[in-house]
Amino acid sequence: MILMEQRTLGRTGRDVSVVGQGTWQLGGDWGEVEESDAFDVLDAAVDSGVTLFDTADVYGDGRSEQLIGRYLKNRPDADIFVATKMGRRADQLPENYVLDNFLTWNDRSRANLGTDTLDLVQLHCPPTAVYSSDAVYDALDTLVDEQRIAAYAVSVETCAEALTAIARPGVASVQIILNPFRLKPLDEVLPAAAAAGVGIIARVPLASGLLSGKYTKDTVFGPDDHRTYNRHGEAFDQGETFSGIDYTTGIEAAAEFAELAPEGATPAQTALRWIIQQPGVTSVIPGARSVEQARANAAAAALPPLPRSTLDAVRELYDRSIRAEVHGRW
Ligand SMILES: NC(=O)c1ccc[n+]([C@@H]2O[C@H](COP(=O)([O-])OP(=O)(O)OC[C@H]3O[C@@H](n4cnc5c(N)ncnc54)[C@H](OP(=O)(O)O)[C@@H]3O)[C@@H](O)[C@H]2O)c1
């Protein structure tokens, strides 16, 4: 097993690898995945030093959690921190974010993952009002008191939601979209999280694969892949698909981004390296779909830091091509 740099995930006090493994792909919304293929991807990540898995109770309606639960039973040697999510098994209304529902969702996730105490549960992009509700945090504190969860966190859509959550003393970490095509969290969210001792998990780090530079205007995604059916936010927040960027704008900007990759690194690895060197970031969770992708993503942790000139070039590309589409919205 390769050793990877570890960082403390905010107020959980637990160390996790700087490159984790997103597992939305293993549940659904990206097309069918065989169980043995999913296990091969997880094995590749773990053997490459990954110690953080991100999942949710709704990925494949629980399949992603169940796969992880079964996988971890067979890998007692792997000391994996599992960050799951809850909150999207009911209508997205603030009144559904109550203790009774939390208990039901928590029972299901604990059964899926085969554990009494979840390492971390993140509120899964709830309605904005939920982040300001004292009752919600009281209910989450109850789950901690009852040792159903070791810690709680939030996964947010907007920087404003992140800042509201960071101000709460029990919030251990914030999961947010951060990548070379999503720079707004650098302005206020990362400094506020660092000051408060709150961890940052960077999701959608490859802008749904765009930043690999491998797609063209002729690329066709599967009918059951959200990159086909959610480009305009038809099924869930548009920001989750290609980071909310128009596809044509995205492939053109991705071609320019690819030019910034240093020798020996792919554009995807360059994007991951860029993320993990932003002050305040704890871990990045690319959604590898194959063994090769899992290994390549983990290897980004060992790349040398990108030089100032590359950071400046990323900023210039963002300001020129991307900012107008995303900065004011999320
Ligand atoms: N609301 C939330 O809380 C929320 C929302 C979204 C995601 N997430 C979490 O964040 C994780 C990551 O986000 P994401 O999966 O949406 O987006 P992502 O990591 O930006 O993109 C994943 C896609 O990038 C491509 N890819 C991955 N590794 C690659 C590599 N080494 N080289 C080339 N291409 C590569 C694959 O595309 P191909 O399939 O085309 O090869 C893969 O399907 C998810 O798995 C999930 O755990 C959470």
Side-chain angles (χ1 to χ4, degrees):
M1 221 184 273
I2 296 169
L3 286 182
M4 192 191 294
E5 180 189 345
Q6 308 274 310
R7 295 179 186 165
T8 303
L9 182 59
R11 294 169 177 152
T12 68
R14 294 272 305 271
D15 286 351
V16 296
S17 53
V18 289
V19 178
Q21 170 72 41
T23 67
W24 185 13
Q25 281 73 1
L26 308 186
D29 300 314
W30 300 71
E32 265 312 301
V33 184
E34 294 291 328
E35 177 153 332
S36 59
D37 292 340
F39 283 1
D40 287 347
V41 171
L42 296 179
D43 263 339
V46 170
D47 292 340
S48 306
V50 165
T51 65
L52 167 67
F53 290 172
D54 177 74
T55 184
D57 59 358
V58 287
Y59 293 165
D61 195 23
R63 183 163 185 256
S64 173
E65 284 187 335
Q66 289 162 7
L67 281 170
I68 290 172
R70 285 202 289 279
Y71 175 79
L72 292 179
K73 250 197 190 133
N74 295 329
R75 286 292 306 250
D77 59 315
D79 185 19
I80 302 298
F81 183 99
V82 180
T84 191
K85 311 189 195 79
M86 67 174 183
R88 298 190 81 83
R89 296 184 56 71
D91 291 341
Q92 299 296 289
L93 302 167
E95 55 266 37
N96 285 333
Y97 291 78
V98 292
L99 183 59
D100 267 2
N101 281 339
F102 288 0
L103 293 171
T104 305
W105 299 334
N106 175 262
D107 283 343
R108 187 172 175 273
S109 285
R110 292 186 305 147
N112 284 343
L113 286 162
T115 183
D116 291 336
T117 307
L118 303 177
D119 293 330
L120 185 73
V121 70
Q122 305 159 99
L123 290 180
H124 199 168
C125 298
T128 302
V130 169
Y131 296 100
S132 309
S133 163
D134 291 345
V136 166
Y137 295 101
D138 289 347
L140 291 168
D141 286 333
T142 301
L143 299 190
V144 175
D145 292 345
E146 293 184 1
Q147 296 181 7
R148 290 165 161 272
I149 62 175
Y152 60 83
V154 294
S155 182
V156 302
E157 297 291 5
T158 69
C159 289
E161 290 167 348
L163 292 168
T164 304
I166 288 167
R168 295 284 176 157
V171 171
S173 58
V174 169
Q175 184 179 134
I176 191 164
I177 299 180
L178 171 68
N179 64 46
F181 291 171
R182 273 292 192 101
L183 302 197
K184 192 169 176 180
L186 304 184
D187 296 350
E188 287 183 76
V189 173
L190 266 52
V198 170
I200 290 284
I201 297 177
R203 78 166 182 271
V204 196
L206 302 175
S208 311
L210 261 185
L211 282 158
S212 69
K214 66 184 173 184
Y215 309 137
T216 68
K217 64 176 178 27
D218 300 321
T219 302
V220 177
F221 299 93
D224 51 357
D225 186 320
H226 71 102
R227 294 172 294 184
T228 298
Y229 67 74
N230 194 53
R231 286 191 186 189
H232 305 287
E234 295 90 334
F236 44 82
D237 194 284
Q238 187 180 347
E240 306 295 348
T241 302
F242 299 127
S243 288
I245 302 157
D246 166 72
Y247 183 66
T248 306
T249 308
I251 49 175
E252 286 167 5
E256 287 193 58
F257 177 78
E259 298 291 315
L260 304 176
E263 213 182 312
T266 65
Q269 290 174 318
T270 306
L272 300 177
R273 179 65 240 182
W274 179 90
I275 293 166
I276 59 182
Q277 76 186 67
Q278 301 305 318
V281 168
T282 311
S283 186
V284 61
I285 49 166
R289 284 230 286 186
S290 66
V291 164
E292 294 70 30
Q293 289 180 354
R295 287 195 187 123
N297 293 342
L303 292 173
L306 300 169
R308 183 79 251 164
S309 56
T310 304
L311 306 185
D312 290 345
V314 168
R315 170 64 72 177
E316 190 279 325
L317 174 59
Y318 176 80
D319 285 344
R320 174 165 45 82
S321 301
I322 305 289
R323 187 186 181 97
E325 288 190 27
V326 302
H327 209 83
R329 191 159 172 195
W330 290 283

